Amino acid sequence: MQSTLSALSQRVTEAIAEAFQLKPEDVNPRLTRSQDDKFGDYQCNAAMGLAKQLGQKPRDIAQKIVDQLKTDDLCEAPEIAGPGFINLKLTTEYLAGQLTQTPPNPDDAAASEQTGPVRNQTGPVRDRIGIPTVEHAETIVVDMSSPNLAKEMHVGHLRSTVIGDSIARILEFAGHNVHRVNHVGDWGTQFGMLLEFVRQTQPDALEQKGNLVINDLEKFYVQAKKRFDDDPEFADRSRKNVVQLQSHDPNTIAIWEMFCHESLRHCHAIYEILGVENLVDRGESFYGPMLGDVVEEFKTKGHATESDGALCVFLDGFTSRDGDPLPMMIQKSDGGYNYDTTDLAAIRHRIHEMHADRIIYVVGIPQKQHFQMLFAAAEKVGWSSDNNMLTHIGFGSVLGEDGRPFKTREGGSVKLKDLLDEAEARARRVVEQNVEKGGDRSHFDESTINHIARTVAIGAVKYFDLSHNLASDYKFNFDNMLAMEGNTAPYMLYAYARIRSIARKADTANTEENAATSTNAPIVLEHDSELRLARMILRFPEIIDTLLVDLRPNLLTDYLFDLSKAFNMFYDRKQGVRVIDAKPMNIRASRLRLCDITARVLKTGLNLLGINTIERM
Ligand code: ARG
C-alpha cells in the first residue's frame, strides 16, 4: 500500500518543476488533504506562493501547473478553484486498484494452523499490509519509563512507558533500529537512607541471594524517611552509606545492588502486564565512571565556568526569572555530580558508543527546561550535530476525578499494580455483559474470558492514555476508558472482533460461494459507503508517514476511530451494503476482502499502540 499523498506530491513537484523550469529539489508542492470531501481528496496550494515569487497571477500559475500535471492514473481531471487552489479527486479505479494490490497477510497461513477463539500475538507486527520501510534506517534510542528505584513507579511513569513503547513500535515498523532504554534513578543520596533501613530491618538480607523482599516499596520509603528524620544516629549512618556507596565499598554495593534488583522486579512485573518488551535497564549509576571525563571535556573545550566553587555551563537564551543568566551545573562545589551531568554522560554514550542517530526522551512536561538545557549543552560541546538528533516528547499529568494530581484517597501515590488489577476486574464485567448479550457462551470458557478481560483492560488503559493530546492533562476514569461506545479500546476491539466474525460466518456459509472468496479477489467499489471506506483504508500509509515526522500517537487513535466508523457505515443495514449475502459472487468476494483489509489495518494500527486484538468479544 503506497502513500497516495507522497505519490501525488511527487507528480505535482514534477509538474511545477517542468512548468517553471525549476529544480525539483527547490519545489514545495504544498499538497494537503482537502478539508471538505466535496472539493476532492487533496488540494495543492503551491500557486499562491509561486505567484509572488514569479510575479504572475495565481490562477495563471495554477493553470500552468495543471497543464503539466500527469495524474490520470490516480485522479480525475484537476480543478482550479478560488484564487488558485488545485483540487484533486482520486478515481474509483485507482482506489480499487490500490486495494486489490494489497499483499496477503503473513499471519493467515499461521492462523489456519491455530484453532480456538483466541490467537496469541504479542511482539512486533508481521502484517505490514504492503507498507514499505524507510530507505535509511536509523539507530534510535527511546529513553522511556525511567522511574526512580527508591520509590514505587507512579502514573507519570505509566504514561512514559505506554507512550514510549508506542513511539518505539512506530519507529520499528518504519524499519528503524530502536533501543528502548530505561534510565532508572538508581543513584543518589536517598539510597543511603534506604540501605540503612535494609540493614536494620532485614539484617540477614545479605546472606543469601533473593533474601531481600520488599512488598511495598512506597511504604518502605516512607518508613525509612521517617526513621531518617526522627533518629539522628540513623541519619548519620545513612550519610555514611552514601559516602561508602560512592567509594564503592563492596558490602554497601552488595546491599545497593540487592535493593535495586528488588525495586526493578516491581517495575518489570508492570512491564510484563503491559506487554512492554525489550526495555533495557540502564540506570544512572551506569554512567558513574564517565562523569569525570564528561566534565573534563567541557573544561578542555572551554565551556565550563567556575561559579561559587561549582562548575557551570552557560547557555545562550536561558535566564532566571530575574533575567540573570541561568547556568547548568555539571559539578557541585563538593566535587559531586548531579542529574544533569549524568544525562550529559548518557547523551555522549548513546551518540559515541551506541551510534545513535537520534535520541527521543519520553518524559513529563515538568522536565522540559532540563531537556532544553541539556540539548543546548550537548550541541555546544559538539556531540549532537543537528537539532533533529535530540527530542523531548513531553506529556501532561494524570489527574484524579477532582482535577488534582492522581492520588489514593489517603493522599498516597496509586500503586500501578492495583490500578491495572482494578481495570481488569472492571473489564471483566464489561466482557461478561457482552457475552451475555451475544447469547452464545460456547466459545467463552473461563480462561478465554480471563484473556479477553486482560486484553480489554490493558488496551483500555493504554488507549485512553494515547488518545489524549500528549501535552494535555487527563482525568483517569475507568468508566470512560471502558465505555463500549466512543473513541475507546473496547469500541475498537469490538469493531475488530465483529469484522472477524463476519469472516467466520462467511466461511461457514456456502462452500460454492467461498470458492469466489479468495484473499486476492479484485476490489469493486460501487456504493458511497464502500468508496468512503476505501479512501479511509488508503489513508493508513499517510498516517504512518505523518507519525514518523510528528510522533503523536493520538493521530493514530483518531485515525483508527474514523476507520471503524467508516466501516460501521459500510456494514450498516440501512446506510451500507450487503456483505455475506451480497450478489453476485465477485461483489461478495470484494466486500469480504474489504472487511478483511479493514481488520488488518485495525490490528496493525492497534499493535503500533501496543494493544493486542481478540478474535471474539
Ligand atoms: N528518573 C526520572 C524521573 O522519574 C526520569 C528520567 C528521564 N530520563 C532521563 N534521561 N532524564 O523523573
Side-chain angles (χ1 to χ4, degrees), residues 140-180:
I140 305 177
V141 169
V142 179
D143 183 312
M144 55 182 269
S145 195
S146 308
N148 293 328
L149 297 188
K151 295 184 178 188
E152 187 90 32
M153 212 164 133
H154 60 68
V155 273
H157 300 115
L158 181 71
R159 283 212 83 181
S160 171
T161 310
V162 169
I163 298 167
D165 188 47
S166 177
I167 285 173
R169 282 166 181 263
I170 292 165
L171 295 168
E172 275 167 345
F173 183 74
H176 295 301
N177 173 18
V178 178
H179 298 273
R180 293 168 175 77

Side-chain angles (χ1 to χ4, degrees), residues 153 157 206 209 212 268 300 556 590-591:
M153 212 164 133
H157 300 115
L206 262 181
K209 247 203 153 106
L212 177 67
H268 282 271
T300 44
L556 182 54
S590 162
R591 289 181 184 161

Side-chain angles (χ1 to χ4, degrees), residues 10 78 101 119 235 293 384 470 475 488 492 500 506 511 522:
Q10 203 178 331
Q101 281 171 33
R119 276 201 247 160
D293 284 353
S384 60
L470 284 175
K475 285 187 185 169
T488 66
M492 301 300 311
R500 301 291 302 160
T511 43

Side-chain angles (χ1 to χ4, degrees), residues 530-571:
E530 232 167 1
L531 280 157
R532 192 188 298 240
L533 178 60
R535 288 194 150 82
M536 202 49 101
I537 293 174
L538 288 179
R539 280 185 56 189
F540 187 51
E542 276 173 32
I543 296 290
I544 297 286
D545 281 351
T546 311
L547 281 170
L548 290 175
V549 183
D550 189 359
L551 294 163
R552 285 192 289 147
N554 69 305
L555 299 174
L556 182 54
T557 56
D558 286 350
Y559 165 73
L560 294 175
F561 187 45
D562 285 343
L563 175 66
S564 55
K565 282 190 288 195
F567 180 82
N568 286 345
M569 179 93 93
F570 159 85
Y571 198 63

Side-chain angles (χ1 to χ4, degrees), residues 143 146-148 157 183 185 284 339 343 350 361 363 367 370-371:
D143 183 312
S146 308
N148 293 328
H157 300 115
H183 189 86
E284 296 180 7
Y339 187 56
D343 256 328
R350 289 163 185 180
Y361 295 84
V363 186
Q367 295 194 36
H370 163 69
F371 286 108

